[in-house]
Amino acid sequence: MEIKFKNASGSIAVADDIFNVAFNEPLVHQVVTAYFAGSRSGTKAQKTRSEVSGGGAKPWKQKGSGRARAGTIRSPIWRGGGVSFAAKPRDYSKKVNRKMYRAALRSIFSELQRQDRLCLVEELNFSSNKTKDFVSYAAEMGFGQDFLLITESLNENLFLASRNIPSVVVVDVEAIDPVLLLRHEKVAIDKLAIERINEWLS
């Protein structure tokens, strides 16, 4: 199939198995869930009664004092004691095969193309690093307010001009992930980047 350029005449041929496949919602959901799970730090830690310092001696004798039977001051029911079901560091990551990950990306790109949310531009070499110039450029191109720009190699001026806009993200091809693609209303890709994506996902 072919995709027309947004800022120039003509079009570019792209692979049907990347930009024209059925949307596999269960697969995309699985990959996105695994992506978020892998970003969790899992560093929460608490101490059990055996890990809290102190409490080696029995606080008072078993009988005769009139108080509750207590074996240690580090019991979970005491102030300063351990935690009954203490949280421990854990790994939340889920395994996703490379073929599954790439199939999910192909599915997302195809759905973006079907929904007319994919914009192909000749190049994204921005000459100014001023935010107001970038806003004017985005309005002229019809990108809207919330969009992702994917370039073959990151342009410094483009990055500097767009970084003050919270709803705009500029990345190179290597930084693409499923969440980035789904998070934005529009996705703009330059010609060299789409060629790299064709090679990568074919």
Side-chain angles (χ1 to χ4, degrees), residues 27-28 30-31 95-106:
L27 175 61
V28 172
Q30 182 178 350
V31 170
K95 178 174 171 55
V96 174
N97 295 334
R98 186 180 303 174
K99 289 177 69 174
M100 292 171 59
Y101 184 82
R102 292 182 177 178
L105 288 178
R106 286 193 288 266

Side-chain angles (χ1 to χ4, degrees), residues 23-38:
F23 185 64
N24 190 338
E25 186 176 353
L27 175 61
V28 172
H29 178 271
Q30 182 178 350
V31 170
V32 169
T33 301
Y35 181 88
F36 281 123

Side-chain angles (χ1 to χ4, degrees), residues 44-151:
K44 184 177 180 181
Q46 297 168 326
K47 291 183 179 180
T48 63
R49 59 185 293 166
S50 65
E51 295 169 327
V52 179
S53 62
K58 188 173 174 66
W60 50 75
K61 62 181 183 178
Q62 181 80 348
K63 294 180 178 293
S65 67
R67 291 174 289 187
R69 293 169 290 184
T72 173
I73 62 172
R74 293 303 177 231
S75 167
I77 62 175
W78 280 53
R79 183 178 180 276
V83 178
S84 296
F85 301 101
K88 295 297 178 186
R90 56 176 291 190
D91 180 13
Y92 289 95
S93 64
K94 302 175 183 291
K95 178 174 171 55
V96 174
N97 295 334
R98 186 180 303 174
K99 289 177 69 174
M100 292 171 59
Y101 184 82
R102 292 182 177 178
L105 288 178
R106 286 193 288 266
S107 184
I108 292 170
F109 276 121
S110 298
E111 189 64 17
L112 289 172
Q113 170 64 12
R114 271 190 294 272
Q115 295 180 4
D116 198 28
R117 292 167 56 193
L118 195 67
C119 304
L120 180 61
V121 295
E122 183 72 30
E123 58 181 357
L124 286 170
N125 290 328
F126 205 62
S127 58
S128 170
N129 60 6
K130 299 293 185 182
T131 300
K132 64 178 182 179
D133 295 335
F134 178 80
V135 171
S136 300
Y137 169 75
E140 181 185 339
M141 296 297 297
F143 291 154
Q145 301 294 322
D146 178 14
F147 56 93
L148 169 70
L149 296 180
I150 303 174
T151 67

Side-chain angles (χ1 to χ4, degrees), residues 170-185:
V170 179
V171 296
D172 57 14
V173 175
E174 295 179 356
I176 295 175
D177 63 64
V179 176
L180 263 182
L181 294 173
L182 293 170
R183 180 174 287 165
H184 298 276
E185 189 63 31

